[in-house]
């Protein structure tokens, strides 16, 4: 049940979608009647379909933080939406008009526990950036902290945003629950998508988590001389305030001058994050990189980090190498190892589809293989054939789809395959080194010791139980409760059938006996028996025809 505040917000959200022409979608899931809104006039098909993707983007932008993030998340899921929607949602702008400084000042001073003048020598009240969650200001600290010299950037969460996001998450959680009971839930994991959105939003609202992500990313990029992450002022890191090194430069979205060394380091840096570290920054958009006059590329956005398991790291490396070798069968096998198959999955059809996709690129030069596009198409094929790929692999596909064109624009002659092959050897060496580490060997020895102790003991217990005729075997039947309900239903119907037949036979015998009151020349008890038998018979037939228990 939604709280009154959440219900009021939900009605506003639904009214916004109706105003942008998505009344039919809400009605198809019975969401309008759920919140007490009546459908308006039906639109003509051409009118409904005109620029629907653009209207969806505008509606999400109008609804604010939570729905902007939802749209951005959906833009990473080509397996859920048509390409036109994915492309349009990729244009979602998280830049909004700034709020007044007075409200931001209150949040800043409350989080720091001191007036602005005590912490900052100078603080520009005009923000240099304003997004739906936070605003960024330029300032200068009063004293030297954390190795940060000169100006700093101060990121402050807007007042009221965490509370509104909490309401929106309650609404989306309830909507996901309702959608999970629809027919589409067999193919789409609505609750999993909502859980991913909730994790993303809560992480972005907690700027301490963003500070942790920045430190982790800086450690990962330490070996690359052309890449850097701004330093964080740890002493001033709060849940709603983040102070970091101020960096000047031009965004890559504004200029694409050739920078071959930066392109090579950027590609290798992401391969390292994905295949070695197991944690990667999910949004390598040109607007999230700043190129300064010295030729250093600064990563600006580290709010969203995805994690990938060691097993999937090896599978992903194998998948990329299978694409290089145009080995469709191996690519399909590795996809199945990473995903989960559903009821409609047919393995020969899936393998044939993946092989056909990979075969399209036979003859294409290795350096020209579009890995991002191929990964996107494989994800689409997986969904179409009822294979659920883990969310982090979907994010990885979107990451490669953005990263590869960016690197190729920085260096048109880049050869990503050559770099990837060299990284495959490094990956295997790193995996072997981890497996042979002292910690892993110690854990293995402890497991072997436990195994060596437990096996003889378990064997003695088993032999003793068999000798004393005390051995019991338990069988667990999948969906046993459903089976019990089905058996009970069959037994009930048989019982009703037997009772009905007995009533008919008994009433027939009563017709030949002259006993009891008579109506229209027939014994009353015989007539009652026939009527009851007829009622039971009609009930049983109705239950069978409607398929009810």
């Amino acid at each position: 049940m939604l709280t009154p505040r959440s219900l009021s917000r939900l009605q506003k959200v639904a009214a916004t979608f109706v105003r942008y022409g998505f009344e039919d979608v809400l009605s198809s899931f019975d969401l309008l009647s759920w919140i007490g809104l009546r459908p308006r006039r039906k639109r003509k098909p051409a009118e409904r379909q005109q620029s629907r993707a653009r209207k969806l983007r505008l509606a999400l932008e109008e609804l604010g933080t939570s729905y902007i993030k939802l749209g951005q998340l959906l833009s990473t899921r080509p397996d859920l939406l048509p390409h036109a929607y994915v492309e349009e949602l990729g244009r979602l702008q998280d830049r909004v008009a700034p709020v007044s400084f007075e409200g931001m000042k209150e949040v800043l001073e409350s989080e720091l526990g001191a007036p602005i003048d005590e912490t900052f020598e100078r603080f520009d009240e005009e923000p240099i950036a304003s997004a739906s969650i936070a605003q960024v200001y330029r300032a200068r600290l009063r004293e030297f902290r954390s190795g940060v010299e000169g100006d700093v950037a101060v990121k402050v969460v807007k007042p009221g945003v965490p509370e509104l996001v909490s309401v929106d998450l309650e609404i989306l959680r309830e909507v996901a629950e309702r959608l999970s009971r629809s027919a589409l839930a067999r193919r789409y994991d609505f609750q999993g998508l909502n859980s991913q959105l909730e994790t993303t939003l809560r992480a972005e609202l907690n700027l301490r988590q963003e500070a942790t992500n920045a430190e982790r990313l800086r450690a990962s990029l330490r070996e690359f001389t052309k890449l850097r992450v701004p330093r964080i002022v740890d002493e001033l890191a709060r849940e709603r305030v983040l102070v970091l090194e101020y960096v000047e430069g031009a965004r890559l979205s504004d200029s694409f001058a050739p920078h071959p060394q930066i392109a090579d380091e950027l590609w290798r840096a992401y391969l390292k994050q994905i295949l070695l570290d197991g944690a990667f920054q999910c949004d390598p958009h040109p607007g999230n990189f700043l190129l300064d006059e010295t030729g250093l590329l600064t990563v600006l956005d580290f709010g969203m980090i995805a994690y990938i398991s060691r097993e999937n790291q090896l599978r992903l490396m194998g998948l990329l190498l299978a694409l290089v070798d145009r080995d469709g069968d191996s690519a399909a096998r590795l996809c199945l190892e990473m995903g989960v198959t559903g009821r409609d999955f047919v393995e020969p059809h899936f393998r044939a589809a993946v092989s056909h996709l990979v075969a399209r690129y036979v003859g294409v030069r290795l350096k020209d293989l579009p890995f991002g596009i191929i990964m996107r198409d494989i994800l689409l094929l997986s969904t179409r054939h009822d294979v659920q790929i883990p969310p982090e692999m979907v994010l990885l596909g979107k990451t490669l789809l953005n990263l590869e064109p960016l690197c190729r624009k920085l260096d048109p002659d880049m050869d990503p395959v050559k770099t990837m092959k060299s990284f495959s050897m490094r990956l295997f060496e790193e995996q072997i080194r981890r497996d042979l580490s002292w910690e892993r060997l110690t854990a293995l020895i402890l497991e072997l010791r436990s195994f060596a102790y437990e096996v003889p003991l378990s064997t003695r217990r088993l032999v003793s139980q068999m000798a004393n005729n005390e051995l019991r075997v338990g069988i667990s039947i999948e969906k046993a409760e459903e089976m019990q309900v089905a058996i009970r239903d069959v037994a009930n119907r048989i019982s009703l059938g037997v009772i009905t037949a007995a009533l008919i036979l008994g009433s027939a015998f009563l017709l030949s006996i002259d006993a009891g009151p008579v109506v229209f020349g027939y014994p009353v008890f015989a007539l009652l028996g026939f009527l009851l038998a007829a009622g039971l018979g009609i009930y049983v037939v109705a239950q069978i025809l409607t398929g009810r228990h």
Side-chain angles (χ1 to χ4, degrees), residues 98-112 114-129 134-143 150-157 207 233 236 240-244 246:
V99 302
S100 66
F101 179 69
E102 290 304 317
M104 304 300 295
K105 179 181 178 181
E106 185 178 342
V107 174
L108 180 59
E109 292 182 341
S110 173
E111 289 290 308
L112 296 180
I116 290 180
D117 295 341
E118 291 185 11
T119 307
F120 301 97
E121 178 183 322
R122 190 193 78 250
F123 197 99
D124 298 343
E125 296 185 4
E126 190 68 25
I128 58 177
Q135 289 182 182
V136 182
Y137 298 88
R138 185 172 182 175
R140 181 180 289 270
L141 293 169
R142 281 198 172 277
E143 56 186 57
D151 289 355
V152 293
V154 184
K155 185 174 183 179
V156 186
V157 174
L207 298 187
V233 181
L236 300 178
R240 298 191 185 187
V241 173
L242 181 65
V243 182
L244 63 159
Y246 181 82

Side-chain angles (χ1 to χ4, degrees), residues 488-506 529 532-541 543-544:
R488 191 182 305 119
D489 178 48
V490 172
N492 289 340
R493 290 180 180 176
I494 292 175
S495 299
L496 286 175
V498 171
I499 293 172
T500 303
L503 285 172
I504 294 173
L505 290 174
L532 184 58
L536 288 174
I538 293 172
Y539 173 76
V540 172
V541 172
Q543 292 292 307
I544 294 173

Side-chain angles (χ1 to χ4, degrees), residues 74-264:
L74 290 173
S75 72
T76 69
R77 302 297 301 269
D79 54 323
L80 297 180
L81 293 177
H83 178 67
Y85 284 83
V86 170
E87 186 175 337
E88 186 66 36
L89 292 179
R91 299 191 181 100
L92 269 171
Q93 296 297 312
D94 199 11
R95 298 179 180 87
V96 299
V99 302
S100 66
F101 179 69
E102 290 304 317
M104 304 300 295
K105 179 181 178 181
E106 185 178 342
V107 174
L108 180 59
E109 292 182 341
S110 173
E111 289 290 308
L112 296 180
I116 290 180
D117 295 341
E118 291 185 11
T119 307
F120 301 97
E121 178 183 322
R122 190 193 78 250
F123 197 99
D124 298 343
E125 296 185 4
E126 190 68 25
I128 58 177
S130 177
S132 60
I133 289 180
Q135 289 182 182
V136 182
Y137 298 88
R138 185 172 182 175
R140 181 180 289 270
L141 293 169
R142 281 198 172 277
E143 56 186 57
F144 180 80
R145 296 171 184 259
S146 299
V148 177
E149 297 182 11
D151 289 355
V152 293
V154 184
K155 185 174 183 179
V156 186
V157 174
K158 291 181 176 180
V161 167
E163 292 77 14
L164 182 60
V165 167
S166 179
V167 171
D168 284 335
L169 288 178
E170 182 184 351
I171 292 170
L172 292 171
R173 199 180 302 122
E174 188 72 21
V175 172
E177 172 67 25
R178 291 180 66 87
L179 293 180
S180 67
R181 298 194 293 267
S182 67
L184 287 175
R186 291 179 56 245
R187 186 173 294 271
Y188 303 113
D189 183 11
F190 293 108
Q191 290 184 317
L193 182 67
N194 180 70
S195 177
Q196 187 179 356
L197 173 65
E198 187 167 347
T199 301
T200 300
L201 276 170
R202 295 198 184 281
E204 293 199 22
L205 284 170
N206 186 352
L207 298 187
R208 280 199 181 98
Q209 181 62 50
E210 188 169 338
T212 302
N213 292 343
E215 293 299 333
R216 180 168 189 164
L217 189 58
R218 179 171 31 260
S220 176
L221 301 183
R222 189 172 290 124
E223 65 185 79
F224 302 101
T225 59
K226 292 293 183 180
L227 306 178
R228 71 170 180 174
V229 175
R231 288 183 175 276
I232 304 295
V233 181
D234 294 326
E235 303 95 312
L236 300 178
R238 303 289 189 272
E239 185 173 342
R240 298 191 185 187
V241 173
L242 181 65
V243 182
L244 63 159
E245 179 184 6
Y246 181 82
V247 180
E248 293 194 66
R251 294 181 185 266
L252 287 185
S253 56
D254 300 330
S255 174
F256 273 112
H259 293 281
Q261 187 178 354
I262 291 179
D264 178 65

Side-chain angles (χ1 to χ4, degrees), residues 510 513-528:
L510 287 175
I513 299 175
D514 187 13
V518 177
V519 177
F520 301 117
Y522 298 100
V524 171
F525 293 116
L527 291 176
L528 290 176

Side-chain angles (χ1 to χ4, degrees), residues 13 23 78 143 176 228 267 295 326 339 367 393 423 431:
V13 170
E23 180 180 347
E143 56 186 57
R228 71 170 180 174
W267 181 252
R326 277 67 160 192
K367 62 179 295 184
M393 302 306 294
F423 243 85
Q431 293 285 350

Side-chain angles (χ1 to χ4, degrees), residues 28 51 79 168 205 230 398 451:
S28 65
S51 305
D79 54 323
D168 284 335
L205 284 170
K398 178 66 173 180
F451 178 78

Side-chain angles (χ1 to χ4, degrees), residues 313-476:
Q313 284 178 326
L314 291 172
R315 290 167 182 154
L316 177 64
M317 188 73 246
L319 176 60
L320 293 175
L321 293 176
L323 298 179
V324 170
D325 294 335
R326 277 67 160 192
D327 187 352
D329 194 62
S330 294
R333 175 179 56 79
L334 289 163
C335 284
L336 292 178
E337 289 180 5
M338 287 188 284
V340 178
T341 58
R343 289 186 296 178
D344 297 333
F345 172 72
V346 180
E347 185 169 347
H349 294 172
F350 177 70
R351 288 183 177 272
V354 174
S355 297
H356 179 72
L357 171 64
V358 174
R360 290 188 214 162
Y361 298 94
V362 173
V364 177
R365 293 186 305 173
L366 289 178
K367 62 179 295 184
D368 295 330
L369 276 177
F371 287 104
I373 294 175
I374 297 175
M375 287 292 293
R376 180 200 66 193
D377 292 344
I378 286 179
L379 291 173
L380 289 173
L381 277 180
S382 299
T383 301
R384 199 173 300 149
H385 288 269
D386 204 10
V387 180
Q388 285 191 4
I389 300 296
E392 64 271 17
M393 302 306 294
V394 178
L395 286 173
L396 175 62
K398 178 66 173 180
T399 299
L400 291 177
L401 199 61
N402 286 332
L403 177 67
E404 187 183 353
L406 175 62
C407 290
R408 290 188 186 278
K409 286 184 178 181
L410 288 169
D411 181 14
D413 297 323
M414 185 185 75
D415 188 351
V417 173
K418 181 180 178 180
T419 306
M420 195 169 59
K421 285 185 174 180
S422 66
F423 243 85
S424 64
M425 294 305 300
R426 183 177 173 183
L427 172 64
F428 293 136
E429 291 173 2
E430 179 68 17
Q431 293 285 350
I432 292 173
R433 186 188 67 77
R434 290 176 182 174
D435 289 337
L436 295 180
S437 66
W438 173 249
E439 293 81 5
R440 293 280 296 179
L441 289 175
T442 302
L444 179 60
I445 291 172
L446 291 175
E447 288 180 8
L448 289 174
R449 178 183 177 279
S450 177
F451 178 78
Y453 174 77
E454 289 290 340
V455 168
L457 180 61
S458 299
T459 303
R460 286 199 304 270
R461 288 175 180 171
L462 178 62
V463 172
S464 175
Q465 289 175 350
M466 293 176 63
N468 297 326
N469 197 26
E470 297 175 350
L471 183 64
R472 296 180 180 180
V473 179
I475 300 176
S476 177

